[in-house]
Amino acid sequence: MLRGFEAAHGLTLKRQFIAAERRAHLHALFLILPLLLFVLVTFAAPVVLLLTRAVYDPSIAGTLPRTVAALQDWDGRDVPPEKAFAALVEDFRTVSERNTQAFIGKRLNYEIPGARSKVIASVRKSQAIAAPPYKEQLIAADKMWGDRLIWAKIKQSGEPFTSYYLLRSLDLERDVDGKIGPVAASQAIYLAVLWRTFYISALVTLITLLLAYPVALMLAHAPPQTANILLIFILVPFWTSLLVRTTAWFVLLQDNGPINDALKFLQFTDEPLKLIFSRFGTLTAMVYIQLPFTLLPIYSVMKGISPSYMRAARSLGGGPLYSFFRIYLPLTMPGIGAGCLLTFILCLGYYITPALVGGAGDQMVSGIIALALNQENNWGKASALSTILLLATLSLFFVYNRLIGIDKVKLG
Amino acid sequence: MLRPPPYATPIERALFYLGWLFTGLVLLFLIAPILAIVPLSFNAEPYFSYPMPGLSLQWYRDFFGNERWTGALLLSVKLAVTVTVFATILGTLAALGLSRTNLPFRSILLGILLLPMIVPVIIVAVADFMAFAHFNLIGTFLGLVLAHMALATPFVVITVTSTLTSFDWSLQKAAQSLGARPFFAFRRVILPLILPGIVSGAIFAFVTSFDEVVVALFLASAEQRTLPKQMFSGIREMISPTITAAATIQVLFSVCLLVGAELLRRRSERLRGLSHG
């Protein structure tokens, strides 16, 4: 009887506990939900939408549907049969009515440089073609149609889901037979940009580490009052807007700016050095901006290391260098990892600084993405490059989260 | 220690003083560009060089007398204040929810909420540019607010979350056991204690929006000039020393915010009994 009572109440208690726990979780989710929805709508969904543009481009499938259908069973070995030409002439009629020839011309121009004007002219000329044979008349309008290349490209780009933009971001393309190979050397620019982005980011990370480590070391072992005052020198730039800091370097690096003035005054040089719009300017400004990001995590790790370790190492007979490299440096590794990874991740996305103080040869992926949109209006290219940049950032972010934990980012 | 440790060898002593020399140079490198630009904003001549032939307030007169700059300043402040209010509310609520550490998928949720801070801002700008076009939000104040909020909320979430990790939840239980309803306990017990964290999150949100330029370049219309956007085009198109005046004003502003955030941090540590400073 008593046992039954206990069992019944124990069970209720357990059930009540589970119910209370579930209520608390629901309550917590309810608090998180507004921000989660907000981030999904204003950030996650747009980014996913952007990424789809890297692999989805229905412009040819939508404007030349009959031609794409007629090319389905074409083996691609020779110029396609008459029915493809007939389909194209008919498609061109619709294109002309809807005035979408510039659209097709632009898309095919990505594949075959110079195709734009030929396509637009062909659309106009094909309006006069009323009866078969379409093949001869279309080739007469432009001999480009007598070459299987343009047909292969229409067939390839007729697929709404395309690998074209991603391949091009890696300086690859499909040839006339659909095989993947490198693009012509004159068009191969993106691998160089990607490589440059990684190279500049790595170099900036390394330089900030070399500058930050000794400073963090001295500050971490200085009396707290002194360290707090000296930290102001790091926190003021850290809190100053990135654009203002870039502006400062923009002014300092001018041909007749303060640095060149000083160099001339000290008689190091007669001619002003080319500091602005150069790799040197880009690196200097980026190191300047990122230095606090590398320094602060190292500093905070060093603050947590008890001085007794070093004393113990020394009293046990370790020399200064030996003790430093075997005891102190390994203890500071978490700080080095956190600072360097953060700086590297942030460097990958730099846009404003290279745009303002860098030259044409110093633009990084972000700058090329902006260029693809602002000047070429090429959404596919911008999306494909964004995809690559995002993948690189996210995989590093994943590593960072695993090693350090994102919520431990030091905010000054 | 400004003196080397007593057991240091002569070489260590030398390294120690070299270390301070190096530190001094690096700190100079950090502060000099900001300090160098301030006097140039008082230059009587439109050059970026020293020595200055004379002093003048003309670039400040240009800044405050030119509708382009004052309009930009006004828009930026309006934008940043709006973003701060909403980002702080959303971020604080989420941080309160995330403070329940045994919540399922907590780390994934946190990761998603903090993602906008890590993803390169050009990607956010381009993605929002594309998505917002569908809703006619390009060139609108609302569009800028939404995009800036996405960038700013992670900072609120981080600061409030870190304040809450050291929060003593038994205080809430005590309040409720004494008869306080949950919302009353929140308003009178929890909120005052985590307020410093919320305010420093709000400062971060404000700064994020106030300094943001890439999203503004993509989403704002030609007439919508925020201060950073105006500075950006000021540098790119017509290099006028007014940018040094604008920069100086912003430096002053950030120093004020830094001092505010630092005071709050100290206060919050004191409230949580972490230090007696």
Side-chain angles (χ1 to χ4, degrees):
Chain A
M1 178 72 189
L2 197 63
R3 192 172 295 162
F5 176 83
E6 262 186 355
H9 280 260
L11 204 65
T12 350
L13 199 62
K14 193 176 171 190
R15 216 174 276 149
Q16 275 178 344
F17 179 75
I18 291 172
E21 189 79 335
R22 192 175 300 142
R23 247 196 330 273
H25 281 168
L26 276 178
H27 187 73
L29 281 177
F30 186 69
L31 289 174
I32 300 171
L33 203 60
L35 181 58
L36 188 65
L37 285 178
F38 179 81
V39 168
L40 287 180
V41 170
T42 59
F43 168 77
V47 168
V48 171
L49 203 65
L50 174 70
L51 298 188
T52 58
R53 289 292 286 263
V55 291
Y56 181 71
D57 179 4
S59 55
I60 295 295
T63 44
L64 302 175
R66 298 180 195 89
T67 316
V68 171
L71 289 174
Q72 272 312 315
D73 45 2
W74 174 52
D75 61 6
R77 250 180 264 141
D78 205 352
V79 177
E82 172 74 11
K83 74 167 180 177
F85 283 87
L88 187 65
V89 170
E90 207 175 327
D91 276 334
F92 274 175
R93 205 153 287 148
T94 328
V95 164
S96 179
E97 280 163 19
R98 296 193 187 146
N99 212 11
T100 49
Q101 53 270 47
F103 208 45
I104 306 170
K106 186 175 140 193
R107 177 68 182 83
L108 289 174
N109 202 56
Y110 294 160
E111 308 268 2
I112 309 167
R116 185 200 309 259
S117 52
K118 291 181 185 171
V119 168
I120 293 174
S122 297
V123 170
R124 181 167 33 82
K125 286 182 191 161
S126 72
Q127 299 310 303
I129 304 176
Y134 295 109
K135 188 171 176 176
E136 282 72 20
Q137 295 183 71
L138 210 52
I139 292 174
D142 194 310
K143 61 181 188 308
M144 168 178 79
W145 302 107
D147 187 346
R148 69 189 174 116
L149 178 66
I150 183 82
W151 295 99
K153 290 301 175 188
I154 290 180
K155 189 176 176 178
Q156 283 169 18
S157 53
E159 303 275 338
F161 286 94
T162 172
S163 56
Y164 168 76
Y165 295 108
L166 283 174
L167 287 175
R168 276 307 287 267
S169 314
L170 299 170
D171 287 341
L172 297 170
E173 67 177 351
R174 285 180 190 281
D175 65 7
V176 63
D177 295 314
K179 274 206 278 300
I180 295 173
V183 296
S186 60
Q187 293 181 309
I189 46 174
Y190 300 111
L191 275 184
V193 171
L194 292 171
W195 164 243
R196 183 193 302 149
T197 305
F198 276 91
Y199 173 74
I200 290 182
S201 302
L203 199 57
V204 169
T205 308
L206 182 70
I207 298 173
T208 56
L209 176 64
L210 293 179
L211 293 179
Y213 197 89
V215 175
L217 185 69
M218 299 316 283
L219 290 184
H221 294 271
Q225 285 92 345
T226 318
N228 278 340
I229 291 170
L230 293 180
L231 268 179
I232 295 175
F233 286 76
I234 297 156
L235 289 176
V236 167
F238 187 66
W239 273 84
T240 304
S241 123
L242 185 143
L243 190 60
V244 168
R245 285 183 277 171
T246 305
T247 309
W249 280 104
F250 180 83
V251 169
L252 290 176
L253 295 169
Q254 291 291 319
D255 286 346
N256 45 9
I259 293 181
N260 264 321
D261 274 356
L263 290 176
K264 236 185 286 178
F265 180 74
L266 296 171
Q267 316 235 311
F268 281 128
T269 167
D270 298 329
E271 285 294 296
L273 295 180
K274 188 73 192 148
L275 301 174
I276 189 127
F277 308 133
S278 72
R279 181 61 61 86
F280 174 81
T282 313
L283 286 174
T284 311
M286 283 179 73
V287 165
Y288 176 76
I289 293 166
Q290 285 303 129
L291 190 52
F293 285 95
T294 313
L295 197 149
L296 291 172
I298 299 179
Y299 173 73
S300 82
V301 165
M302 283 177 173
K303 286 290 277 182
I305 297 174
S306 160
S308 45
Y309 291 121
M310 274 306 264
R311 280 192 216 127
R314 298 299 302 277
S315 74
L316 289 170
L321 283 180
Y322 185 85
S323 314
F324 176 79
F325 283 108
R326 289 300 296 271
I327 307 296
Y328 198 79
L329 190 63
L331 282 170
T332 56
M333 266 324 208
I336 296 179
C340 287
L341 213 47
L342 187 63
T343 284
F344 190 78
I345 291 175
L346 292 176
C347 279
L348 286 182
Y350 258 64
Y351 166 51
I352 292 298
T353 307
L356 288 181
V357 298
D362 304 310
Q363 300 308 306
M364 296 166 68
V365 177
S366 291
I368 303 294
I369 293 173
L371 207 66
L373 268 191
N374 292 338
Q375 307 222 325
E376 302 163 39
N377 199 16
N378 186 339
W379 277 98
K381 187 200 276 181
S383 306
L385 288 168
S386 297
T387 307
I388 294 173
L389 178 59
L390 190 67
L391 283 180
T393 312
L394 286 187
S395 42
L396 285 168
F397 174 55
F398 183 75
V399 173
Y400 184 92
N401 207 2
R402 266 302 174 79
L403 290 181
I404 298 126
I406 174 65
D407 45 342
K408 307 233 169 24
V409 172
K410 184 94 176 120
L411 294 177
Chain B
M1 271 165 275
L2 286 174
R3 248 173 279 140
Y7 52 78
T9 60
I11 295 174
E12 272 181 282
R13 260 167 228 279
L15 276 176
F16 182 84
Y17 290 116
L18 265 179
W20 274 115
L21 181 68
F22 185 80
T23 303
L25 289 175
V26 171
L27 294 182
L28 187 69
F29 168 68
L30 278 170
I31 205 76
I34 294 182
L35 292 186
I37 201 169
V38 173
L40 284 177
S41 67
F42 296 100
N43 199 345
E45 300 287 330
Y47 304 122
F48 296 127
S49 58
Y50 289 101
M52 301 188 294
L55 296 177
S56 137
L57 284 173
Q58 56 175 320
W59 312 120
Y60 289 90
R61 214 172 298 132
D62 185 34
F63 183 92
F64 287 108
N66 189 335
E67 207 270 323
R68 267 174 177 267
W69 285 102
T70 50
L73 180 64
L74 205 67
L75 176 63
S76 272
V77 170
K78 225 168 78 181
L79 180 63
V81 168
T82 316
V83 167
T84 306
V85 170
F86 291 105
T88 308
I89 294 173
L90 282 183
T92 304
L93 287 180
L96 283 168
L98 288 166
S99 66
R100 189 162 289 280
T101 45
N102 61 351
L103 192 72
F105 308 114
R106 179 178 181 273
S107 59
I108 295 178
L109 283 173
L110 187 64
I112 294 174
L113 295 185
L114 297 186
L115 218 47
M117 193 172 71
I118 288 295
V119 169
V121 64
I122 186 86
I123 294 183
V124 183
V126 171
D128 278 349
F129 179 58
M130 189 169 80
F132 285 8
H134 292 293
F135 304 99
N136 291 325
L137 285 172
I138 305 296
T140 65
F141 186 69
L142 180 63
L144 283 175
V145 169
L146 293 178
H148 276 186
M149 271 177 71
L151 296 177
T153 47
F155 293 99
V156 181
V157 173
I158 277 207
T159 46
V160 181
T161 302
S162 78
T163 309
L164 284 170
T165 47
S166 56
F167 183 73
D168 184 0
W169 285 99
S170 57
L171 291 174
Q172 185 201 22
K173 294 200 183 95
Q176 283 184 311
S177 77
L178 289 170
R181 288 175 181 283
F183 184 69
F184 187 81
F186 171 75
R187 199 162 55 86
R188 296 296 296 270
V189 178
I190 304 176
L191 194 59
L193 284 171
I194 64 169
L195 197 59
I198 296 176
V199 175
S200 71
I203 293 179
F204 268 108
F206 187 91
V207 170
T208 306
S209 166
F210 194 73
D211 293 345
E212 204 291 323
V213 60
V214 182
V215 165
L217 284 175
F218 275 84
L219 294 188
S221 65
E223 299 81 45
Q224 272 187 312
R225 277 182 293 270
T226 64
L227 190 55
K229 192 182 157 196
Q230 174 67 20
M231 278 193 77
F232 186 81
S233 55
I235 296 171
R236 278 224 147 159
E237 286 144 26
M238 26 110 205
I239 308 170
S240 136
T242 309
I243 58 171
T244 58
T248 305
I249 290 166
Q250 288 188 59
V251 169
L252 268 182
F253 195 70
S254 5
V255 170
C256 292
L257 285 177
L258 167 66
V259 171
E262 181 61 21
L263 290 179
L264 278 170
R265 194 181 60 82
R266 295 214 176 137
R267 184 182 140 80
S268 122
E269 283 186 357
R270 212 170 43 238
L271 280 178
R272 285 183 282 152
L274 292 178
S275 84
H276 306 279

